[in-house]
Amino acid sequence: MTTDAPDTTETRFSISNNPSFLYQLYCSYMLVYKNGTKADGFFDLELLKKSLNILVRKYYKPVAGWFQVSGEDIDVVFYSDKFNDPPVSTQTLNMDYETVSRHVRDSNIDLLVPTAPSGVIKPENPNIPMFLVKATYLKSNEAVVLGVSYHHSLMDGTAFWMFMANWSALCKHLHEHGDITKFNIPHPPTFEFPDISHFHNPSKTIEHSEYVLVDADQCFMKFQPSAEKIVVTVLEVSVEQQQALRQQARNCNVSFTEMLCAVLWKGTNGLRLQLDPEIGSGSSLYSCAVNPRARMGISSNLCASPTTHTSCERTVSEIAALDVCEVAQLVHETIGICTGEYLFSSFDFLLKQRRRELDDERNSRIDKKFMLVYVCPKSVKCIALSSRTFPIYSTDFGFGTPEYVRPPYLPFDGCMRIWPTPLYDVRLSNAPLEVYVSLPEHIDLSKSPLLSQFLKESTD
């Protein structure tokens, strides 16, 4: 008697029609869950693994798939009977809650984040995991730290936090019910980047100053534009300060986020000019990641990266001469250029550059690559990233929500990441916001009239 082999179904979707290929790297977060009662079975490892495997095999099949390169195209390929399941590692440390929390806040990724291979997508590097987990337990049983890394070519920040919300909900359901027969996934994911060709306007030419041509031998896929030691300072924007900024934003006809970014840009500009008055004629760059999902009608559940970038450059002296309202208008205009026409043009521009680079590689002409302009040295840089609308603190795996979530450590000059605190609700602004500011070590934020108001008082 012979048994027929099970049918194998191959499915693939392309990431070549969006700029995801630009982000061939891993992005990592650390989530701290406190075990207040020191209960046994807290964050059961087998439950974590089981729920993650169910999630990717049933709902996120591309995350259990492989990148495949064919000429100019990059596909994600997955199958019905074999899976590139996310690797899960674990460790147990002899330290207490306060100590491990300090390691998280100090972004000790070597200790708490899974070690990822090279994220560069090449034919000779086929087994790239899409998602990795490291669960850190304490001998004291006071907490668990989840270190997670995802490949940015498959997901952007929005898609990642939807993934985390779905994983935590499935894990909690398994924990409470033992199976998933009645489980309804909160955010059913979609794949395949939507067709945006209808935004194409052949009569309009758009310059993409947010990208720059750099020497290939200086392009390491890591953002290290400065030899100076970069340190991260966490600013705190209180509820009262948010209210004042909102009123100021209304007076200037801009959004709250645009006003906060203007304060960060002008404050940093003033500090740099104060330290070196000779940089007045130098470049002051504002750059931001723009997620156009809502205005383009793109689902928040899309497992892909429609995020693009916009930028604005003025001289340091020009920014110094403007008031905060005028700088906020510049920020507003910079974000506002991301129309449908701009989005299509940006993607088309990047795809053409990729084809040129591939052709150069085939013909041994590897001399230039296009990168985001903020990797280049500037007199002043403000690279704004806002995560305040993400469901970061609602990730309950059945053991409570996280006490603290550490955003990615980005040690490059001028990065400004706006980040929620545990009780923050974007609809209510009922809790403080944090801003993670990366600047050279010698820059003293207390010298800035605009930024010093957000410095936390030292508890040392």
Side-chain angles (χ1 to χ4, degrees):
M1 180 178 178
T2 60
T3 302
D4 291 336
D7 292 335
T8 297
T9 302
E10 177 188 290
T11 309
R12 63 179 61 223
F13 77 92
S14 173
I15 65 166
S16 298
N17 60 345
N18 74 73
S20 294
F21 65 79
L22 190 66
Y23 311 112
Q24 295 183 20
L25 45 78
Y26 287 94
C27 190
S28 303
Y29 295 85
M30 290 173 276
L31 300 85
V32 182
Y33 291 87
K34 190 173 185 179
N35 186 4
T37 62
K38 298 185 180 181
D40 293 334
F42 188 73
F43 267 84
D44 178 76
L45 181 61
E46 293 308 312
L47 179 65
L48 280 179
K49 290 180 178 178
K50 182 179 180 180
S51 59
L52 180 57
N53 284 346
I54 291 174
L55 181 74
V56 299
R57 292 186 180 195
K58 184 176 177 65
Y59 301 104
Y60 281 90
K61 293 180 181 179
V63 180
W66 291 263
F67 290 116
Q68 189 174 98
V69 181
S70 177
E72 298 175 356
D73 296 320
I74 301 175
D75 290 340
V76 176
V77 182
F78 51 98
Y79 303 90
S80 59
D81 63 341
K82 61 179 180 178
F83 308 95
N84 185 19
D85 288 326
V88 178
S89 59
T90 183
Q91 64 179 346
T92 301
L93 301 178
N94 187 18
M95 60 179 62
D96 60 17
Y97 173 76
E98 295 301 327
T99 303
V100 78
S101 294
R102 187 162 57 250
H103 280 290
V104 173
R105 290 190 179 274
D106 291 344
S107 197
N108 190 342
I109 57 176
D110 292 333
L111 179 66
L112 299 168
V113 168
T115 301
S118 168
V120 178
I121 304 170
K122 293 183 177 181
E124 59 270 26
N125 190 22
N127 295 318
I128 300 175
M130 307 291 184
F131 187 76
L132 306 92
V133 180
K134 186 174 187 177
T136 297
Y137 296 85
L138 305 182
K139 287 186 178 179
S140 65
N141 203 22
E142 292 179 80
V144 169
V145 178
L146 284 186
V148 293
S149 297
Y150 69 93
H151 199 285
H152 213 328
S153 283
L154 187 63
M155 291 185 271
D156 62 5
T158 300
F160 167 74
W161 284 109
M162 293 299 177
F163 178 92
M164 290 297 292
N166 286 331
W167 178 25
S168 60
L170 192 153
C171 186
K172 183 176 182 179
H173 188 93
L174 267 180
H175 178 62
E176 294 175 348
H177 302 283
D179 59 46
I180 63 165
T181 53
K182 295 184 178 180
F183 175 70
N184 293 312
I185 191 166
H187 310 284
T190 57
F191 306 96
E192 289 286 3
F193 193 79
D195 181 17
I196 59 171
S197 59
H198 57 285
F199 290 128
H200 179 40
N201 182 354
S203 65
K204 188 172 183 179
T205 301
I206 298 176
E207 296 295 327
H208 290 284
S209 59
E210 68 274 21
Y211 299 103
V212 64
L213 194 64
V214 300
D215 291 336
D217 60 358
Q218 297 177 5
C219 176
F220 304 110
M221 301 301 292
K222 293 183 180 179
F223 304 120
Q224 297 177 334
S226 173
E228 299 177 276
K229 181 181 178 181
I230 303 298
V231 298
V232 177
T233 302
V234 183
L235 305 181
E236 183 176 273
V237 187
S238 69
V239 174
E240 294 76 16
Q241 288 168 332
Q242 290 175 58
Q243 291 171 345
L245 284 168
R246 288 187 184 281
Q247 183 57 56
Q248 196 173 6
R250 283 192 289 270
N251 294 341
C252 298
N253 293 314
V254 298
S255 71
F256 166 78
T257 301
E258 289 165 345
M259 179 55 67
L260 179 55
C261 289
V263 170
L264 295 169
W265 186 13
K266 184 168 175 61
T268 306
N269 193 88
L271 275 175
R272 294 291 185 120
L273 188 58
Q274 178 183 331
L275 285 169
D276 184 3
E278 300 299 318
I279 66 169
S281 60
S283 174
S284 186
L285 171 73
Y286 174 78
S287 178
C288 60
V290 180
N291 186 336
R293 291 171 185 259
R295 72 176 82 168
M296 301 294 123
I298 299 172
S299 169
S300 293
N301 297 334
L302 174 69
C303 189
S305 180
T307 301
T308 188
H309 286 77
T310 59
S311 66
C312 172
E313 286 193 60
R314 296 290 189 273
T315 67
V316 176
S317 293
E318 284 177 312
I319 298 300
L322 299 176
D323 62 32
V324 174
C325 189
E326 291 169 321
V327 176
Q329 287 293 337
L330 272 181
V331 172
H332 175 76
E333 292 166 8
T334 303
I335 295 173
I337 68 173
C338 189
T339 61
E341 289 179 354
Y342 180 93
L343 184 66
F344 178 88
S345 176
S346 179
F347 286 19
D348 184 61
F349 172 83
L350 287 171
L351 290 171
K352 287 177 179 176
Q353 298 312 317
R354 172 171 169 74
R355 294 187 186 104
R356 182 194 62 78
E357 289 176 8
L358 286 171
D359 185 64
D360 284 350
E361 289 177 12
R362 294 189 193 101
N363 293 282
S364 301
R365 297 192 307 266
I366 308 174
D367 59 341
K368 297 289 184 180
K369 283 185 177 290
F370 268 87
M371 289 293 291
L372 290 160
V373 68
Y374 63 72
V375 306
C376 298
K378 304 287 180 183
S379 297
V380 178
K381 287 190 284 189
C382 178
I383 304 118
L385 305 162
S386 179
S387 304
R388 69 187 188 92
T389 62
F390 295 163
I392 293 167
Y393 284 99
S394 63
T395 48
D396 180 358
F397 287 81
F399 307 94
T401 55
E403 290 284 308
Y404 174 65
V405 180
R406 180 62 164 88
Y409 174 54
L410 300 174
F412 57 93
D413 187 2
C415 179
M416 315 279 175
R417 181 179 287 276
I418 302 169
W419 195 251
T421 53
L423 298 178
Y424 182 80
D425 186 324
V426 69
R427 298 164 299 179
L428 304 175
S429 296
N430 59 336
L433 276 172
E434 292 181 329
V435 184
Y436 289 72
V437 178
S438 300
L439 289 170
E441 187 176 28
H442 71 273
I443 294 182
D444 184 357
L445 293 177
S446 69
K447 303 296 185 183
S448 167
L450 284 173
L451 302 181
S452 60
Q453 61 180 314
F454 305 125
L455 284 170
K456 294 182 179 180
E457 293 185 9
S458 175
T459 57
D460 295 339

